[in-house]
Amino acid sequence: NHLIVAEKLKELEKSGIKVFVINGNHDVNNYDSVSYPSDGTTPTAIAKVSADEFKSNYAEFGYNESFSKDSVSLSYAVEPEDGIWIIAIDSCRYDENTEENGSVTAGKIRVETLEWIRALLKEAKLKNKMVLGMMHHGVIEHFKGQSQFFS
């Protein structure tokens, strides 16, 4: 499916639309992945994509254009237009996924990644860059009391 999505994204870029991706909580090292034959679901090893495979599959959609990459995650930074930086933040916990426990879907930003982001923000301020951040997990609650029900 990643390869199919990458082909669709190539079509967008060919039409002049710039595309930048970041992984979601089911994209990397997903032990809960299944295929959908006509009679239900079947576990599949095919979807257990590694972080390196994800980066390779989507290399043309941010990773190759990046001017900075985080060394401990799939996070990267690009400058799609002069004066505008996008920091794509990997907030997924795929390193914690195991066959026994399945996939961790909650988000968390690694301490080293936060340090990398802070350094980029300082540099952006010095260079008078506008910074946009993007990541899979929400930064603020989607509804009142969400943190009580979904810590």
Side-chain angles (χ1 to χ4, degrees):
N1 288 340
H2 285 293
L3 298 176
I4 293 168
V5 169
E7 286 302 316
K8 298 294 183 188
L9 296 178
K10 283 180 189 176
E11 292 175 24
L12 287 175
E13 287 210 328
K14 285 179 188 174
S15 72
I17 298 170
K18 294 180 183 183
V19 178
F20 303 99
V21 300
I22 194 62
N23 55 302
N25 55 317
H26 296 290
D27 289 332
V28 176
N29 200 23
N30 184 357
Y31 284 92
D32 296 329
S33 60
V34 296
S35 62
Y36 297 93
S38 60
D39 60 345
T41 61
T42 303
T44 179
I46 295 170
K48 290 180 183 79
V49 174
S50 71
D52 287 339
E53 288 172 316
F54 182 89
K55 194 185 298 186
S56 175
N57 290 341
Y58 297 104
E60 297 176 46
F61 311 109
Y63 293 102
N64 285 351
E65 298 99 332
S66 65
F67 64 85
S68 181
K69 292 182 186 90
D70 181 32
S71 63
V72 299
S73 76
L74 290 170
S75 303
Y76 64 91
V78 293
E79 187 168 13
E81 299 289 333
D82 287 340
I84 300 173
W85 286 4
I86 296 174
I87 302 176
I89 303 164
D90 175 3
S91 59
C92 298
R93 297 166 57 185
Y94 45 83
D95 292 339
E96 299 174 43
N97 295 349
T98 64
E99 197 163 356
E100 298 80 34
N101 297 331
S103 297
V104 176
T105 58
K108 179 172 72 175
I109 301 172
R110 295 166 181 83
V111 172
E112 300 90 344
T113 303
L114 282 173
E115 292 170 5
W116 173 78
I117 293 168
R118 285 186 185 110
L120 280 174
L121 291 174
K122 286 180 186 176
E123 182 182 351
K125 187 173 184 177
L126 289 172
K127 294 181 175 181
N128 199 31
K129 305 288 184 177
M130 179 194 318
V131 178
L132 305 171
M134 70 175 195
M135 64 185 194
H136 176 74
H137 294 90
V139 177
I140 60 173
E141 290 187 339
H142 293 295
F143 58 88
K144 186 174 175 128
Q146 179 182 357
S147 62
Q148 293 172 322
F149 296 106
F150 302 103
S151 60

